[in-house]
Amino acid sequence: MTENPTGPSHPATGLARVRTLPPWTLLAAGTLVGGLLGGAYGVVEPPEYTATSYVVAVPTAKSDPATATGFAQAYGRVATQLAVLGDAQVWAGVPVTTLKSSVRTQTSPDAPMVAVTATSTRPDLAADMANAVSRALTRHANDTKGATRVELQQFARATKPSEPSSASPALLGLVGASAGGLLGGLVLLARPRRSGDASGRPASVPGPALAADTHGQL
């Protein structure tokens, strides 16, 4: 019966196997997983469409352009209020809550213009919501033009968008791959260093040397 001089071998644990993998595998795995998740999200999530209409504040004979610009800023803030959206929902055919979450306005300090932007998964609905809010805003503003001396007029209607404004699945896949690679690099930097030599065995400590000037044997 022969004996094994090297002793019994112990199978490597899962953690030990991970630690012995080359460093680049973490980057590759993170990039691959991130790209797959980003691409899958782009395929599952429906595309969004954006449409924008514009209204312009025009001063009357008893006003001036600076006053019109100031009122345009105010109209941009009240465009998404309940008083305006309550009328717009009739023309858009959607609830006020949908208009509240889907419509945004933007104004410029240098021009008396208000941009009304609507976003939806349906291109025709995006245009309808933007035009409905612009129409309701114009109506409310012109009801008080005798006091404000500023008239709100439609500058450009929103048209049905032909392409989605949301990111494509390919772009989301690239973003996910970049984020996954970055995360893999951070994990690589944060993982604990292996002790011992390259074979994974702990470094041996040399024992004390034998005395060279022994005086004899007992």
Side-chain angles (χ1 to χ4, degrees), residues 197-217:
D197 55 9
S199 61
R201 299 177 181 176
S204 59
V205 179
L210 296 176
D213 52 346
T214 55
H215 293 82
Q217 297 178 353

Side-chain angles (χ1 to χ4, degrees), residues 164-213:
S165 57
S166 57
S168 63
L171 180 58
L172 291 176
L174 291 176
V175 173
S178 300
L182 178 60
L183 182 60
L186 293 177
V187 173
L188 180 62
L189 293 175
R191 71 172 185 173
R193 302 295 182 181
R194 291 181 300 174
S195 60
D197 55 9
S199 61
R201 299 177 181 176
S204 59
V205 179
L210 296 176
D213 52 346

Side-chain angles (χ1 to χ4, degrees), residues 64-82:
D64 55 80
T67 302
T69 302
F71 272 101
Q73 301 288 326
Y75 292 147
R77 289 190 291 269
V78 302
T80 55
Q81 299 301 314
L82 183 60

Side-chain angles (χ1 to χ4, degrees), residues 137-177:
L137 179 63
T138 301
R139 178 179 177 180
H140 278 268
N142 291 340
D143 287 343
T144 59
K145 65 180 180 180
T148 61
R149 299 177 181 179
V150 173
E151 182 181 2
L152 202 61
Q153 299 179 359
Q154 189 174 57
F155 183 78
R157 287 179 56 84
T159 58
K160 179 181 176 180
S162 58
E163 296 180 356
S165 57
S166 57
S168 63
L171 180 58
L172 291 176
L174 291 176
V175 173

Side-chain angles (χ1 to χ4, degrees), residues 63-132:
S63 185
D64 55 80
T67 302
T69 302
F71 272 101
Q73 301 288 326
Y75 292 147
R77 289 190 291 269
V78 302
T80 55
Q81 299 301 314
L82 183 60
V84 177
L85 298 182
D87 292 341
Q89 69 173 341
V90 179
W91 299 312
V94 295
V96 173
T97 53
T98 302
L99 292 174
K100 188 72 175 179
S101 61
S102 304
V103 177
R104 297 290 181 269
T105 60
Q106 186 175 4
T107 59
S108 171
D110 303 323
M113 187 173 293
V114 181
V116 181
T117 302
T119 303
S120 175
T121 56
R122 290 170 44 193
D124 57 336
L125 184 57
D128 290 343
M129 289 192 296
N131 290 325

